[in-house]
Amino acid sequence: QVQLVESGGGLVQAGESLTLSCVASESTFNSNTMDWYRQAPGKQRQLVATIGGSGTPIYYTDSVKGRFTISRDNAKNTVYLQMNSLKPEDTAVYYCNRRFGTIPWGRGTQVTVSS
C-alpha cells in the first residue's frame, strides 16, 4: 500500500520560513491532485493547499494565501509546501494526502512557530 512521509517541520520564530516535503512510496500517486492539511491541538484537520497533477496550484486556504506555496516534483514523488512569514497560528502538525482516494495518513510533521 502507498505510504506518505512528511518531513521538514521544526521550531521557528514568527516571520521565518520552512519548506515541508511529502514523499509518496509509489510514483503514480504523485500524478494525482494532492493536498496539504494541518491539524492544531484540539482542532479539526484543515485543508491548507491543493496542487493538480500537472503542478498547478489550485487552492490555498485564506489564512495562508500569499505566504505559502505548494509545488511538486513528480520525478521525485514529492509534494512541497513552502511556508514563508510564519505566524504562531500556523503551529500544527502538517499532513499530505491524495485528493481523490485518500490513502492512509502519514505521521505528519510538526511545525511550531513562536512569537
Side-chain angles (χ1 to χ4, degrees), residues 17-89:
S17 299
L18 286 171
T19 299
L20 308 183
S21 297
C22 169
V23 180
S25 61
E26 295 184 7
S27 62
T28 185
F29 285 87
N30 276 317
S31 65
N32 298 128
T33 300
M34 295 291 292
D35 296 321
W36 277 101
Y37 303 82
R38 65 187 181 189
Q39 186 168 24
K43 301 294 181 64
Q44 299 295 313
R45 198 191 316 271
Q46 175 192 26
L47 177 64
V48 175
T50 303
I51 189 167
S54 65
T56 301
I58 59 176
Y59 174 79
Y60 294 101
T61 194
D62 285 346
S63 62
V64 310
K65 287 180 179 177
R67 299 188 297 119
F68 290 12
T69 302
I70 188 170
S71 62
R72 69 194 302 161
D73 185 342
N74 287 341
K76 297 181 179 180
N77 311 320
T78 302
V79 179
Y80 303 97
L81 187 67
Q82 174 68 47
M83 306 185 298
N84 297 325
S85 302
L86 282 162
K87 303 175 180 180
E89 50 264 46

Side-chain angles (χ1 to χ4, degrees), residues 2 6 11 13 29 50 57 59 66 70-71 87 89-90 102 109-111:
V2 176
E6 301 93 345
L11 174 62
Q13 293 185 335
F29 285 87
T50 303
Y59 174 79
I70 188 170
S71 62
K87 303 175 180 180
E89 50 264 46
D90 296 318
T102 302
T109 185
Q110 176 72 51
V111 173

